[in-house]
Structure formats: structure tokens, C-alpha cells
Coordinates of all heavy atoms in Angstrom, one line a residue:
M1 N -28.9 -96.0 -127.7 CA -29.5 -96.5 -126.5 C -30.9 -96.9 -126.7 O -31.7 -96.3 -127.4 CB -29.5 -95.4 -125.4 CG -30.0 -95.8 -124.1 SD -29.9 -94.6 -122.8 CE -28.2 -94.8 -122.3
I2 N -31.3 -98.0 -126.1 CA -32.6 -98.6 -126.3 C -33.5 -98.1 -125.2 O -33.2 -98.1 -124.0 CB -32.6 -100.1 -126.2 CG1 -31.7 -100.7 -127.3 CG2 -34.0 -100.7 -126.3 CD1 -31.5 -102.2 -127.2
A3 N -34.7 -97.6 -125.6 CA -35.7 -97.1 -124.6 C -36.4 -98.3 -124.0 O -36.8 -99.2 -124.6 CB -36.7 -96.2 -125.3
V4 N -36.4 -98.3 -122.6 CA -37.0 -99.3 -121.9 C -38.4 -98.8 -121.4 O -38.4 -97.7 -120.8 CB -36.2 -99.7 -120.7 CG1 -36.9 -100.8 -119.8 CG2 -34.8 -100.2 -121.1
P5 N -39.5 -99.5 -121.7 CA -40.8 -99.1 -121.2 C -40.9 -99.1 -119.7 O -40.2 -99.9 -119.1 CB -41.8 -100.1 -121.9 CG -40.9 -101.3 -122.2 CD -39.5 -100.8 -122.4
A6 N -41.7 -98.2 -119.2 CA -41.9 -98.2 -117.7 C -42.5 -99.5 -117.3 O -43.3 -100.1 -117.9 CB -42.9 -97.0 -117.4
M7 N -42.0 -100.0 -116.2 CA -42.5 -101.2 -115.6 C -43.6 -101.0 -114.6 O -43.7 -99.9 -114.0 CB -41.3 -101.9 -114.9 CG -40.1 -102.2 -115.8 SD -40.4 -103.3 -117.1 CE -40.2 -104.9 -116.3
F8 N -44.4 -102.0 -114.4 CA -45.4 -101.9 -113.3 C -45.6 -103.3 -112.7 O -45.1 -104.3 -113.2 CB -46.8 -101.4 -113.9 CG -47.5 -102.3 -114.8 CD1 -48.4 -103.2 -114.4 CD2 -47.2 -102.2 -116.2 CE1 -49.1 -104.0 -115.3 CE2 -47.9 -103.0 -117.1 CZ -48.8 -103.9 -116.6
V9 N -46.2 -103.2 -111.5 CA -46.4 -104.4 -110.7 C -47.9 -104.7 -110.6 O -48.7 -103.8 -110.3 CB -45.8 -104.2 -109.3 CG1 -46.1 -105.4 -108.4 CG2 -44.3 -103.8 -109.3
T10 N -48.2 -106.0 -110.8 CA -49.6 -106.4 -110.7 C -49.7 -107.3 -109.4 O -48.9 -108.2 -109.2 CB -50.1 -107.2 -111.9 OG1 -49.9 -106.4 -113.0 CG2 -51.5 -107.7 -111.7
V11 N -50.7 -107.0 -108.6 CA -50.9 -107.7 -107.3 C -52.3 -108.2 -107.2 O -53.2 -107.4 -107.4 CB -50.6 -106.7 -106.1 CG1 -50.9 -107.4 -104.8 CG2 -49.2 -106.1 -106.1
N12 N -52.4 -109.5 -107.0 CA -53.7 -110.1 -106.9 C -54.3 -109.7 -105.5 O -53.6 -109.8 -104.5 CB -53.7 -111.6 -107.0 CG -53.4 -112.1 -108.4 OD1 -53.5 -111.3 -109.3 ND2 -53.1 -113.4 -108.5
V13 N -55.5 -109.3 -105.5 CA -56.2 -108.9 -104.2 C -57.4 -109.8 -104.0 O -58.3 -109.9 -104.9 CB -56.7 -107.5 -104.3 CG1 -57.4 -107.1 -103.0 CG2 -55.5 -106.5 -104.5
G14 N -57.4 -110.5 -102.9 CA -58.5 -111.4 -102.6 C -59.7 -110.7 -101.8 O -59.6 -109.6 -101.4
A15 N -60.8 -111.5 -101.7 CA -62.0 -111.0 -101.0 C -61.7 -110.6 -99.6 O -62.1 -109.6 -99.1 CB -63.1 -112.0 -101.1
K16 N -60.9 -111.4 -98.8 CA -60.6 -111.1 -97.4 C -59.8 -109.8 -97.3 O -60.0 -109.0 -96.4 CB -59.8 -112.2 -96.8 CG -60.6 -113.4 -96.4 CD -59.8 -114.4 -95.6 CE -60.6 -115.6 -95.2 NZ -59.8 -116.5 -94.4
Q17 N -58.8 -109.6 -98.2 CA -58.0 -108.4 -98.2 C -58.9 -107.1 -98.5 O -58.8 -106.1 -97.8 CB -56.9 -108.5 -99.2 CG -55.9 -109.5 -98.9 CD -55.0 -109.8 -100.0 OE1 -55.4 -110.0 -101.2 NE2 -53.7 -109.9 -99.8
M18 N -59.8 -107.2 -99.4 CA -60.6 -106.1 -99.8 C -61.6 -105.8 -98.7 O -62.1 -104.7 -98.5 CB -61.3 -106.4 -101.1 CG -60.5 -106.1 -102.3 SD -61.3 -106.2 -103.8 CE -62.8 -105.4 -103.6
A19 N -62.0 -106.9 -97.9 CA -63.0 -106.7 -96.8 C -62.4 -106.0 -95.6 O -63.2 -105.4 -94.8 CB -63.6 -108.0 -96.4
A20 N -61.1 -106.0 -95.5 CA -60.5 -105.3 -94.3 C -60.7 -103.8 -94.4 O -60.5 -103.2 -95.4 CB -59.0 -105.7 -94.3
T21 N -61.0 -103.3 -93.2 CA -61.2 -101.8 -93.2 C -60.0 -101.0 -93.5 O -60.1 -99.9 -94.0 CB -61.8 -101.4 -91.8 OG1 -60.8 -101.9 -90.8 CG2 -63.1 -102.0 -91.5
E22 N -58.8 -101.6 -93.3 CA -57.6 -100.9 -93.5 C -57.0 -101.2 -94.9 O -55.8 -100.9 -95.2 CB -56.6 -101.2 -92.4 CG -56.2 -102.6 -92.2 CD -57.2 -103.4 -91.4 OE1 -57.9 -102.9 -90.6 OE2 -57.2 -104.6 -91.6
F23 N -57.8 -101.8 -95.8 CA -57.3 -102.1 -97.1 C -56.7 -100.9 -97.9 O -55.5 -101.0 -98.3 CB -58.5 -102.7 -98.0 CG -58.2 -102.9 -99.4 CD1 -57.3 -103.8 -99.9 CD2 -58.8 -102.1 -100.4 CE1 -57.0 -104.0 -101.2 CE2 -58.5 -102.2 -101.7 CZ -57.6 -103.2 -102.1
R24 N -57.4 -99.8 -98.0 CA -56.9 -98.7 -98.6 C -55.6 -98.2 -98.0 O -54.6 -97.9 -98.7 CB -57.9 -97.5 -98.6 CG -57.5 -96.3 -99.3 CD -58.6 -95.2 -99.2 NE -58.2 -93.9 -99.5 CZ -57.5 -93.1 -98.8 NH1 -57.2 -93.4 -97.5 NH2 -57.1 -91.9 -99.2
G25 N -55.6 -98.1 -96.7 CA -54.4 -97.7 -96.0 C -53.2 -98.6 -96.2 O -52.0 -98.1 -96.3
H26 N -53.4 -99.9 -96.3 CA -52.3 -100.8 -96.5 C -51.7 -100.6 -97.9 O -50.5 -100.7 -98.1 CB -52.8 -102.3 -96.4 CG -52.9 -102.7 -95.0 ND1 -52.0 -102.6 -94.0 CD2 -54.0 -103.3 -94.3 CE1 -52.4 -103.1 -92.9 NE2 -53.6 -103.5 -93.0
V27 N -52.6 -100.4 -98.9 CA -52.1 -100.2 -100.3 C -51.3 -98.9 -100.3 O -50.2 -98.9 -100.9 CB -53.3 -100.1 -101.3 CG1 -52.8 -99.7 -102.7 CG2 -54.0 -101.5 -101.3
I28 N -51.8 -97.8 -99.7 CA -51.1 -96.5 -99.7 C -49.7 -96.7 -99.0 O -48.7 -96.2 -99.5 CB -51.9 -95.4 -99.1 CG1 -53.1 -95.1 -100.0 CG2 -51.1 -94.2 -98.8 CD1 -54.1 -94.2 -99.4
S29 N -49.7 -97.4 -97.9 CA -48.5 -97.6 -97.1 C -47.5 -98.4 -98.0 O -46.3 -98.1 -98.0 CB -48.8 -98.3 -95.8 OG -47.6 -98.6 -95.1
A30 N -47.9 -99.4 -98.7 CA -47.1 -100.2 -99.5 C -46.5 -99.4 -100.6 O -45.3 -99.5 -101.0 CB -47.8 -101.4 -100.1
I31 N -47.3 -98.5 -101.2 CA -46.8 -97.6 -102.3 C -45.7 -96.7 -101.7 O -44.6 -96.6 -102.3 CB -47.9 -96.8 -102.9 CG1 -48.8 -97.7 -103.7 CG2 -47.4 -95.6 -103.7 CD1 -50.1 -97.0 -104.1
E32 N -45.9 -96.1 -100.6 CA -45.0 -95.2 -100.0 C -43.7 -95.9 -99.6 O -42.6 -95.4 -99.8 CB -45.6 -94.5 -98.7 CG -46.7 -93.5 -99.1 CD -47.5 -93.0 -97.9 OE1 -47.3 -93.5 -96.8 OE2 -48.3 -92.1 -98.1
Q33 N -43.8 -97.1 -99.0 CA -42.6 -97.8 -98.5 C -41.8 -98.4 -99.6 O -40.5 -98.5 -99.5 CB -43.0 -98.9 -97.5 CG -43.5 -98.4 -96.2 CD -44.0 -99.5 -95.3 OE1 -43.6 -100.6 -95.5 NE2 -44.7 -99.1 -94.3
S34 N -42.4 -98.8 -100.7 CA -41.7 -99.4 -101.8 C -41.0 -98.5 -102.8 O -40.1 -98.8 -103.5 CB -42.7 -100.3 -102.6 OG -43.6 -99.5 -103.3
G35 N -41.5 -97.2 -102.8 CA -41.0 -96.3 -103.8 C -41.6 -96.4 -105.2 O -41.3 -95.7 -106.1
V36 N -42.6 -97.3 -105.3 CA -43.3 -97.5 -106.6 C -44.3 -96.3 -106.7 O -44.9 -95.9 -105.8 CB -44.1 -98.8 -106.6 CG1 -45.0 -99.0 -107.8 CG2 -43.1 -100.0 -106.6
Q37 N -44.4 -95.8 -107.9 CA -45.4 -94.7 -108.2 C -46.8 -95.4 -108.3 O -46.9 -96.5 -108.8 CB -45.0 -94.0 -109.5 CG -43.7 -93.3 -109.4 CD -43.7 -92.2 -108.3 OE1 -44.6 -91.4 -108.2 NE2 -42.7 -92.2 -107.5
P38 N -47.8 -94.7 -107.9 CA -49.2 -95.3 -108.0 C -49.5 -95.8 -109.4 O -50.1 -96.9 -109.5 CB -50.1 -94.1 -107.6 CG -49.2 -93.3 -106.7 CD -47.9 -93.4 -107.3
W39 N -49.1 -95.1 -110.4 CA -49.4 -95.6 -111.8 C -48.7 -96.9 -112.2 O -49.0 -97.5 -113.1 CB -49.1 -94.5 -112.8 CG -47.7 -94.0 -112.8 CD1 -47.2 -93.0 -112.2 CD2 -46.7 -94.6 -113.6 NE1 -45.8 -92.9 -112.4 CE2 -45.5 -93.8 -113.3 CE3 -46.6 -95.7 -114.5 CZ2 -44.3 -94.1 -113.9 CZ3 -45.3 -95.9 -115.1 CH2 -44.2 -95.2 -114.8
Q40 N -47.7 -97.3 -111.3 CA -46.9 -98.5 -111.6 C -47.5 -99.7 -110.9 O -47.0 -100.8 -111.0 CB -45.5 -98.3 -111.2 CG -44.7 -97.3 -112.0 CD -43.3 -97.2 -111.5 OE1 -43.1 -96.7 -110.4 NE2 -42.3 -97.7 -112.2
L41 N -48.6 -99.5 -110.2 CA -49.3 -100.6 -109.4 C -50.6 -100.9 -110.1 O -51.4 -100.0 -110.3 CB -49.5 -100.2 -108.0 CG -50.3 -101.1 -107.1 CD1 -49.5 -102.5 -107.0 CD2 -50.5 -100.5 -105.7
C42 N -50.9 -102.2 -110.3 CA -52.2 -102.6 -110.8 C -52.7 -103.6 -109.8 O -52.1 -104.6 -109.5 CB -52.1 -103.3 -112.2 SG -53.6 -103.9 -112.8
L43 N -53.9 -103.3 -109.2 CA -54.5 -104.3 -108.3 C -55.4 -105.2 -109.2 O -56.3 -104.7 -109.9 CB -55.4 -103.5 -107.3 CG -54.6 -102.6 -106.4 CD1 -55.5 -101.8 -105.4 CD2 -53.5 -103.3 -105.6
D44 N -55.2 -106.4 -109.2 CA -55.9 -107.4 -109.9 C -57.0 -108.0 -109.0 O -56.7 -108.8 -108.1 CB -55.0 -108.5 -110.4 CG -55.3 -109.0 -111.8 OD1 -56.2 -108.5 -112.4 OD2 -54.6 -109.9 -112.2
I45 N -58.2 -107.6 -109.2 CA -59.3 -107.9 -108.4 C -60.1 -109.1 -109.0 O -60.4 -109.1 -110.2 CB -60.3 -106.7 -108.2 CG1 -59.5 -105.5 -107.9 CG2 -61.4 -107.0 -107.2 CD1 -58.7 -105.5 -106.6
T46 N -60.5 -110.0 -108.2 CA -61.3 -111.1 -108.7 C -62.8 -110.7 -108.7 O -63.2 -109.8 -107.9 CB -61.2 -112.4 -107.8 OG1 -61.7 -112.1 -106.5 CG2 -59.8 -112.9 -107.8
E47 N -63.5 -111.3 -109.6 CA -64.9 -111.0 -109.7 C -65.7 -111.3 -108.4 O -66.5 -110.6 -108.0 CB -65.5 -112.0 -110.8 CG -66.7 -111.5 -111.5 CD -67.0 -112.5 -112.6 OE1 -66.1 -113.2 -113.1 OE2 -68.2 -112.6 -112.9
E48 N -65.3 -112.4 -107.8 CA -65.9 -112.8 -106.5 C -65.6 -111.7 -105.4 O -66.5 -111.4 -104.6 CB -65.3 -114.1 -106.0 CG -66.0 -114.6 -104.8 CD -65.5 -116.0 -104.4 OE1 -64.9 -116.7 -105.3 OE2 -65.7 -116.4 -103.2
A49 N -64.4 -111.2 -105.4 CA -64.1 -110.2 -104.3 C -65.0 -108.9 -104.5 O -65.4 -108.3 -103.6 CB -62.6 -109.8 -104.4
L50 N -65.2 -108.5 -105.8 CA -66.0 -107.4 -106.0 C -67.5 -107.6 -105.6 O -68.2 -106.8 -105.1 CB -66.0 -107.0 -107.5 CG -64.7 -106.3 -108.0 CD1 -64.7 -106.1 -109.5 CD2 -64.5 -105.0 -107.3
R51 N -67.9 -108.8 -105.9 CA -69.3 -109.2 -105.6 C -69.6 -109.2 -104.1 O -70.7 -108.7 -103.7 CB -69.7 -110.5 -106.2 CG -71.1 -110.9 -106.3 CD -71.4 -112.0 -107.1 NE -70.3 -113.0 -107.0 CZ -70.5 -114.3 -106.8 NH1 -71.8 -114.8 -106.6 NH2 -69.5 -115.2 -106.7
F52 N -68.7 -109.7 -103.3 CA -69.0 -109.8 -101.9 C -68.6 -108.6 -101.1 O -68.9 -108.5 -99.9 CB -68.3 -111.0 -101.3 CG -68.9 -112.3 -101.8 CD1 -68.3 -113.2 -102.6 CD2 -70.2 -112.6 -101.4 CE1 -68.9 -114.3 -103.1 CE2 -70.9 -113.8 -101.9 CZ -70.2 -114.6 -102.7
N53 N -67.8 -107.7 -101.6 CA -67.4 -106.5 -100.9 C -67.7 -105.2 -101.6 O -67.0 -104.2 -101.5 CB -65.8 -106.6 -100.7 CG -65.4 -107.8 -100.0 OD1 -65.8 -108.0 -98.8 ND2 -64.6 -108.6 -100.6
R54 N -68.8 -105.2 -102.2 CA -69.1 -104.2 -103.2 C -69.1 -102.8 -102.6 O -68.4 -101.9 -103.0 CB -70.5 -104.4 -103.8 CG -70.8 -103.5 -104.9 CD -72.0 -103.9 -105.7 NE -72.2 -103.0 -106.7 CZ -72.7 -103.3 -107.9 NH1 -73.1 -104.5 -108.1 NH2 -72.9 -102.4 -108.8
S55 N -69.9 -102.5 -101.5 CA -70.0 -101.1 -101.0 C -68.8 -100.5 -100.5 O -68.3 -99.5 -101.0 CB -71.2 -101.0 -100.0 OG -70.9 -101.9 -98.9
A56 N -68.2 -101.1 -99.5 CA -67.0 -100.5 -98.9 C -65.8 -100.6 -99.8 O -65.0 -99.6 -99.9 CB -66.7 -101.1 -97.5
A57 N -65.6 -101.7 -100.3 CA -64.4 -101.9 -101.1 C -64.4 -101.1 -102.4 O -63.3 -100.6 -102.8 CB -64.2 -103.4 -101.5
W58 N -65.5 -100.9 -103.0 CA -65.5 -100.1 -104.2 C -65.2 -98.6 -104.0 O -64.5 -98.0 -104.8 CB -66.9 -100.2 -104.9 CG -67.1 -101.5 -105.6 CD1 -66.7 -102.8 -105.1 CD2 -67.7 -101.8 -106.8 NE1 -67.0 -103.7 -106.0 CE2 -67.6 -103.2 -107.1 CE3 -68.3 -100.9 -107.8 CZ2 -68.1 -103.7 -108.2 CZ3 -68.8 -101.5 -108.9 CH2 -68.7 -102.9 -109.1
T59 N -65.5 -98.1 -102.8 CA -65.1 -96.8 -102.4 C -63.6 -96.7 -102.3 O -63.0 -95.8 -102.9 CB -65.8 -96.4 -101.1 OG1 -67.2 -96.4 -101.2 CG2 -65.4 -95.0 -100.7
A60 N -63.0 -97.6 -101.7 CA -61.5 -97.6 -101.5 C -60.9 -97.8 -102.9 O -59.9 -97.1 -103.2 CB -61.1 -98.8 -100.6
L61 N -61.4 -98.7 -103.8 CA -60.8 -98.9 -105.1 C -60.9 -97.6 -105.9 O -60.0 -97.2 -106.6 CB -61.5 -100.0 -105.8 CG -61.2 -101.4 -105.3 CD1 -62.1 -102.4 -106.0 CD2 -59.8 -101.7 -105.4
R62 N -62.0 -96.9 -105.8 CA -62.2 -95.6 -106.6 C -61.2 -94.6 -106.1 O -60.6 -93.9 -106.9 CB -63.6 -95.1 -106.5 CG -64.6 -95.8 -107.4 CD -65.9 -95.0 -107.5 NE -66.7 -95.7 -108.5 CZ -67.5 -96.7 -108.3 NH1 -67.6 -97.2 -107.1 NH2 -68.2 -97.2 -109.3
E63 N -61.0 -94.5 -104.8 CA -60.0 -93.6 -104.2 C -58.6 -93.9 -104.7 O -57.8 -93.0 -105.0 CB -60.1 -93.5 -102.7 CG -61.4 -92.9 -102.2 CD -61.6 -93.0 -100.7 OE1 -60.8 -93.6 -100.0 OE2 -62.6 -92.5 -100.2
L64 N -58.3 -95.2 -104.7 CA -56.9 -95.6 -105.1 C -56.8 -95.3 -106.6 O -55.7 -94.9 -107.1 CB -56.7 -97.1 -104.8 CG -56.6 -97.4 -103.3 CD1 -56.7 -98.9 -103.1 CD2 -55.3 -96.9 -102.8
K65 N -57.8 -95.6 -107.4 CA -57.8 -95.3 -108.8 C -57.6 -93.8 -109.1 O -56.8 -93.4 -109.9 CB -59.0 -95.8 -109.5 CG -59.0 -95.6 -111.0 CD -59.8 -96.7 -111.7 CE -59.8 -96.5 -113.2 NZ -58.4 -96.6 -113.8
D66 N -58.2 -93.0 -108.3 CA -58.0 -91.5 -108.4 C -56.6 -91.1 -108.1 O -56.1 -90.1 -108.6 CB -59.0 -90.8 -107.5 CG -60.4 -90.8 -107.9 OD1 -60.7 -91.2 -109.1 OD2 -61.3 -90.5 -107.1
M67 N -55.9 -91.9 -107.3 CA -54.5 -91.6 -107.0 C -53.6 -92.1 -108.2 O -52.4 -91.7 -108.2 CB -54.0 -92.4 -105.8 CG -54.6 -91.9 -104.5 SD -54.1 -93.0 -103.1 CE -52.3 -93.0 -103.3
G68 N -54.1 -92.9 -109.1 CA -53.3 -93.3 -110.2 C -53.1 -94.8 -110.3 O -52.6 -95.4 -111.2
V69 N -53.6 -95.5 -109.2 CA -53.4 -97.0 -109.2 C -54.3 -97.6 -110.3 O -55.4 -97.2 -110.5 CB -53.8 -97.6 -107.8 CG1 -53.8 -99.1 -107.8 CG2 -52.9 -97.0 -106.7
K70 N -53.8 -98.6 -111.0 CA -54.5 -99.2 -112.1 C -55.3 -100.4 -111.5 O -54.9 -101.0 -110.5 CB -53.6 -99.7 -113.1 CG -52.8 -98.6 -113.8 CD -52.1 -99.1 -115.0 CE -51.3 -98.1 -115.7 NZ -51.8 -96.8 -115.8
L71 N -56.4 -100.7 -112.1 CA -57.3 -101.8 -111.7 C -57.5 -102.8 -112.8 O -57.7 -102.4 -114.0 CB -58.7 -101.3 -111.3 CG -58.7 -100.3 -110.1 CD1 -60.1 -99.8 -109.9 CD2 -58.1 -100.9 -108.9
G72 N -57.4 -104.1 -112.5 CA -57.6 -105.2 -113.4 C -58.6 -106.1 -112.9 O -58.8 -106.2 -111.6
L73 N -59.3 -106.8 -113.7 CA -60.3 -107.8 -113.3 C -59.8 -109.2 -113.6 O -59.6 -109.5 -114.8 CB -61.6 -107.5 -114.0 CG -62.8 -108.4 -113.6 CD1 -63.1 -108.2 -112.1 CD2 -64.1 -108.0 -114.4
D74 N -59.5 -109.9 -112.6 CA -58.9 -111.3 -112.7 C -60.0 -112.3 -112.8 O -61.0 -112.2 -112.1 CB -58.0 -111.5 -111.5 CG -57.2 -112.8 -111.6 OD1 -56.9 -113.1 -112.7 OD2 -56.9 -113.4 -110.5
D75 N -59.7 -113.3 -113.6 CA -60.6 -114.5 -113.8 C -62.0 -114.1 -114.2 O -63.0 -114.8 -113.8 CB -60.7 -115.3 -112.5 CG -59.3 -115.9 -112.1 OD1 -58.5 -116.1 -113.1 OD2 -59.0 -116.1 -110.9
F76 N -62.2 -113.1 -115.0 CA -63.6 -112.7 -115.4 C -64.1 -113.8 -116.2 O -63.5 -114.4 -117.1 CB -63.6 -111.4 -116.2 CG -64.9 -111.0 -116.6 CD1 -65.7 -110.3 -115.7 CD2 -65.4 -111.2 -117.9 CE1 -67.0 -109.9 -116.0 CE2 -66.7 -110.8 -118.2 CZ -67.5 -110.1 -117.3
G77 N -65.4 -114.2 -115.9 CA -66.1 -115.3 -116.6 C -65.9 -116.6 -116.0 O -66.6 -117.6 -116.5
T78 N -65.2 -116.7 -114.9 CA -65.1 -118.0 -114.2 C -66.2 -118.2 -113.2 O -66.4 -119.3 -112.7 CB -63.7 -118.2 -113.6 OG1 -63.5 -117.2 -112.6 CG2 -62.6 -118.1 -114.6
G79 N -66.8 -117.2 -112.8 CA -67.9 -117.3 -111.8 C -69.2 -116.8 -112.4 O -69.5 -117.1 -113.5
V80 N -69.9 -116.0 -111.6 CA -71.1 -115.4 -112.1 C -70.8 -114.1 -112.7 O -70.7 -113.1 -112.0 CB -72.1 -115.2 -110.9 CG1 -73.4 -114.6 -111.4 CG2 -72.4 -116.5 -110.2
S81 N -70.5 -114.1 -114.0 CA -70.0 -112.9 -114.7 C -71.0 -111.9 -114.8 O -72.2 -112.1 -115.0 CB -69.5 -113.3 -116.1 OG -68.5 -114.2 -116.0
S82 N -70.6 -110.7 -114.6 CA -71.5 -109.5 -114.8 C -70.7 -108.4 -115.5 O -69.7 -108.0 -115.0 CB -72.0 -109.0 -113.4 OG -72.7 -107.9 -113.6
F83 N -71.3 -107.9 -116.6 CA -70.7 -106.8 -117.3 C -70.9 -105.5 -116.5 O -70.3 -104.5 -116.8 CB -71.3 -106.7 -118.7 CG -70.7 -107.7 -119.6 CD1 -71.5 -108.8 -119.9 CD2 -69.4 -107.6 -120.1 CE1 -71.0 -109.8 -120.8 CE2 -68.9 -108.6 -120.9 CZ -69.7 -109.7 -121.2
T84 N -71.6 -105.6 -115.4 CA -71.8 -104.4 -114.5 C -70.4 -103.9 -114.0 O -70.1 -102.7 -114.0 CB -72.7 -104.7 -113.3 OG1 -73.9 -105.2 -113.8 CG2 -72.8 -103.5 -112.4
Y85 N -69.5 -104.8 -113.7 CA -68.2 -104.5 -113.2 C -67.4 -103.7 -114.3 O -66.7 -102.8 -114.0 CB -67.4 -105.7 -112.9 CG -68.0 -106.6 -111.9 CD1 -68.1 -108.0 -112.1 CD2 -68.6 -106.1 -110.7 CE1 -68.7 -108.8 -111.2 CE2 -69.2 -107.0 -109.8 CZ -69.3 -108.3 -110.0 OH -69.9 -109.2 -109.1
L86 N -67.6 -104.1 -115.5 CA -66.9 -103.4 -116.6 C -67.5 -102.0 -116.8 O -66.8 -101.1 -117.3 CB -67.0 -104.3 -117.9 CG -66.5 -105.7 -117.8 CD1 -66.7 -106.4 -119.1 CD2 -65.0 -105.7 -117.4
R87 N -68.8 -101.8 -116.5 CA -69.4 -100.5 -116.7 C -69.1 -99.6 -115.6 O -68.9 -98.4 -115.7 CB -70.9 -100.6 -116.9 CG -71.3 -101.2 -118.3 CD -72.8 -101.0 -118.5 NE -73.5 -101.7 -117.5 CZ -74.1 -102.9 -117.7 NH1 -74.0 -103.5 -118.8 NH2 -74.8 -103.4 -116.7
E88 N -69.1 -100.1 -114.3 CA -69.0 -99.3 -113.1 C -67.5 -98.8 -112.9 O -67.3 -97.9 -112.2 CB -69.6 -100.0 -111.9 CG -71.1 -100.1 -112.1 CD -71.7 -100.6 -110.8 OE1 -71.1 -100.5 -109.7 OE2 -72.8 -101.2 -110.9
F89 N -66.6 -99.6 -113.4 CA -65.2 -99.2 -113.2 C -64.6 -99.0 -114.5 O -64.9 -99.7 -115.5 CB -64.4 -100.4 -112.5 CG -64.4 -100.3 -111.0 CD1 -65.1 -101.2 -110.3 CD2 -63.8 -99.3 -110.4 CE1 -65.1 -101.1 -108.9 CE2 -63.8 -99.2 -109.0 CZ -64.5 -100.1 -108.3
T90 N -63.6 -98.1 -114.6 CA -62.8 -98.0 -115.8 C -61.6 -98.9 -115.5 O -60.7 -98.5 -114.8 CB -62.4 -96.6 -116.0 OG1 -63.5 -95.8 -116.1 CG2 -61.6 -96.5 -117.3
L91 N -61.6 -100.1 -116.0 CA -60.5 -101.1 -115.7 C -59.4 -100.8 -116.7 O -59.6 -100.4 -117.8 CB -61.1 -102.5 -115.9 CG -62.2 -102.9 -114.9 CD1 -62.8 -104.2 -115.3 CD2 -61.6 -102.9 -113.5
D92 N -58.2 -101.0 -116.2 CA -57.0 -100.8 -117.0 C -56.5 -102.0 -117.7 O -55.9 -101.9 -118.7 CB -55.9 -100.1 -116.1 CG -56.4 -98.9 -115.5 OD1 -56.6 -97.9 -116.2 OD2 -56.6 -98.8 -114.3
L93 N -56.6 -103.2 -117.0 CA -56.1 -104.4 -117.5 C -57.1 -105.5 -117.4 O -57.9 -105.5 -116.5 CB -54.8 -104.8 -116.8 CG -53.7 -103.8 -116.9 CD1 -52.5 -104.3 -116.0 CD2 -53.2 -103.7 -118.3

């Protein structure tokens, strides 16, 4: 029998979605309704979304990461790149 690696889902998250006060709740609800384990979900965040939603969104992202959700940085280097994002978050992808 061939071992199949665990699959995961990557979801792009835009600035408007991250700015919503219910962002964290929506992600948790989607995890619960889909049956996907938190470690199987990667939120792909754009550099721009992080820059414009830094305070509130980063708190939600840290809480989701603590649950096991993976974080990726999408399109790094296409805007005003900052290695601060790479230092402040432990990115998975």
C-alpha cells in the first residue's frame, strides 16, 4: 500500500476579509463546518492585507495560528516589501 501524505487547503485572504471584525469567527466556523482539521488549512495573506490591517488582524491571525492554522505570505516582494512580516510571524508557507 502506498502512503498518501496529508492534504491541506490554501485559501487566499484579502484585505477586506481580514478587516472584518468577524474574520476569526468565520474561519473557525468554516473549519467546523467543513470537517477540515486546523492544521490542514493555510491562510495565504497578502503583504498589503497585513500592512493595512495590522493591529486587529494580527491578533486574529495569531489566535488562529495557535489553533494550528498555517499562515503563508502571498505575493511577497510585489509591493512595499518588509522583512518585518517574516520576523513577527512564524510563516509556514
Side-chain angles (χ1 to χ4, degrees):
M1 182 175 278
I2 298 173
V4 178
M7 304 294 278
F8 66 94
V9 177
T10 300
V11 178
N12 288 348
V13 179
K16 282 186 178 181
Q17 292 165 315
M18 280 184 45
T21 56
E22 59 278 335
F23 169 69
R24 180 183 166 278
H26 283 310
V27 173
I28 292 170
S29 179
I31 289 169
E32 291 171 350
Q33 291 177 17
S34 69
V36 170
Q37 296 299 312
W39 60 267
Q40 292 177 293
L41 175 63
C42 178
L43 299 178
D44 216 4
I45 312 298
T46 63
E47 205 178 333
E48 183 177 344
L50 287 175
R51 193 166 36 128
F52 290 112
N53 299 301
R54 189 170 179 148
S55 58
W58 286 39
T59 300
L61 289 174
R62 280 194 174 86
E63 290 172 359
L64 291 167
K65 183 149 179 66
D66 288 344
M67 290 176 53
V69 174
K70 296 187 182 323
L71 300 177
L73 187 57
D74 189 27
D75 295 335
F76 184 77
T78 60
V80 181
S81 298
S82 173
F83 285 103
T84 302
Y85 305 134
L86 302 177
R87 285 192 301 261
E88 291 188 24
F89 272 112
T90 303
L91 298 171
D92 301 291
L93 300 172

